[in-house]
Amino acid sequence: MAQQIQDLVASIQKEGIDKANAEAAKIIADAKEQAAKIVADGKKEADKLVTDAQRDIELRDQSAKAGLKQAARDVQLSLRNALEKQLNGLLETKIAKAYSSDNLVKLIKEILLQDIVDPSKTELQLSQKDFDALGKTLVKELGDAVRNGLEIKPVKSVSVGFRLSDKDGSGYYDFSDEDVAKLMLPFLSPAIAEIIGE
């Protein structure tokens, strides 16, 4: 009977050890499973953080590039406007200089010789300064046109250059420095565009 008790104790002990080993194995398996899940979740979170960071970097890069493009465009527009302003001023100055007394008389005479206006229906409008300085010379040089009805008048609206206007006010040709410069400026735009690199 002692043997039976000893076998029974050994059997109970073995069952306990087997049960403890099984429980330990289950605990280890559960721990490994939880550890694997934690590692997988951590990897997922790390991948998401990396993806979000890359997206943020790309957005910042795109924003920075867009900002640089806008700044470059603003600089180009500022440069173009400054160049146009300078060229327009230069043109007006050069045209005003070209309209010195001798040149102005020659230009008016040349235009009237082209028969683009009917002298009997036209008035030549000048600044008061040019009228005072050139009136007699113009009457002499434009004798036929004056005899045919061309009137020569000073007007406040012309400061440099001249205007050939219909006497009834229906139309005019403006040869002022400002209008001639405006007419010439578009022809300079390709040169300006080339300077600014467009």
Side-chain angles (χ1 to χ4, degrees):
M1 172 118 180
Q3 183 63 31
Q4 286 181 336
I5 292 177
Q6 200 174 19
D7 286 343
L8 183 61
V9 169
S11 171
I12 291 173
Q13 209 175 19
K14 185 178 182 235
E15 279 179 27
I17 290 173
D18 287 346
K19 191 174 178 185
N21 282 341
E23 283 183 30
K26 185 176 185 283
I27 289 171
I28 290 171
D30 287 348
K32 283 183 179 178
E33 187 180 317
Q34 283 181 343
K37 186 175 183 292
I38 290 170
V39 168
D41 288 348
K43 187 173 182 319
K44 236 186 236 182
E45 184 65 26
D47 289 345
K48 183 181 181 301
L49 289 172
V50 167
T51 302
D52 290 349
Q54 286 174 335
R55 188 176 61 244
D56 287 348
I57 290 168
E58 286 174 13
L59 286 173
R60 282 190 209 133
D61 283 352
Q62 288 173 357
S63 178
K65 285 178 185 175
L68 284 173
K69 283 181 183 178
Q70 181 64 44
R73 194 166 50 247
D74 290 348
V75 167
Q76 283 182 333
L77 289 174
S78 294
L79 181 58
R80 174 181 293 202
N81 290 340
L83 284 173
E84 283 182 358
K85 188 176 178 181
Q86 289 293 324
L87 286 174
N88 200 17
L90 183 62
L91 277 174
E92 286 181 30
T93 302
K94 291 295 183 184
I95 291 168
K97 190 174 179 184
Y99 281 166
S100 67
S101 57
D102 292 342
N103 291 332
L104 188 60
V105 172
K106 288 177 189 174
L107 181 61
I108 293 169
K109 188 175 180 181
E110 271 304 307
I111 290 172
L112 288 173
L113 289 174
Q114 301 301 315
D115 290 330
I116 60 171
V117 294
D118 179 357
S120 66
K121 297 178 181 175
T122 305
E123 62 183 38
L124 171 61
Q125 299 175 346
L126 302 162
S127 68
Q128 184 68 52
K129 179 182 136 204
D130 287 338
F131 179 79
D132 293 341
L134 304 174
K136 290 178 184 176
T137 306
L138 282 167
V139 169
K140 181 181 170 190
E141 291 290 323
L142 306 174
D144 289 340
V146 172
R147 283 188 286 284
N148 288 329
L150 176 71
E151 293 179 23
I152 303 172
K153 291 183 171 182
V155 291
K156 291 181 180 179
S157 58
V158 176
S159 59
V160 177
F162 62 97
R163 186 184 295 153
L164 292 172
S165 177
D166 291 334
K167 288 179 182 176
D168 63 6
S170 61
Y172 62 88
Y173 294 101
D174 195 337
F175 295 93
S176 67
D177 59 339
E178 201 173 294
D179 277 20
V180 171
K182 284 178 188 171
L183 289 172
M184 293 176 72
L185 197 58
F187 296 104
L188 299 176
S189 290
I192 293 170
E194 189 176 320
I195 289 169
I196 1 181
E198 289 188 359

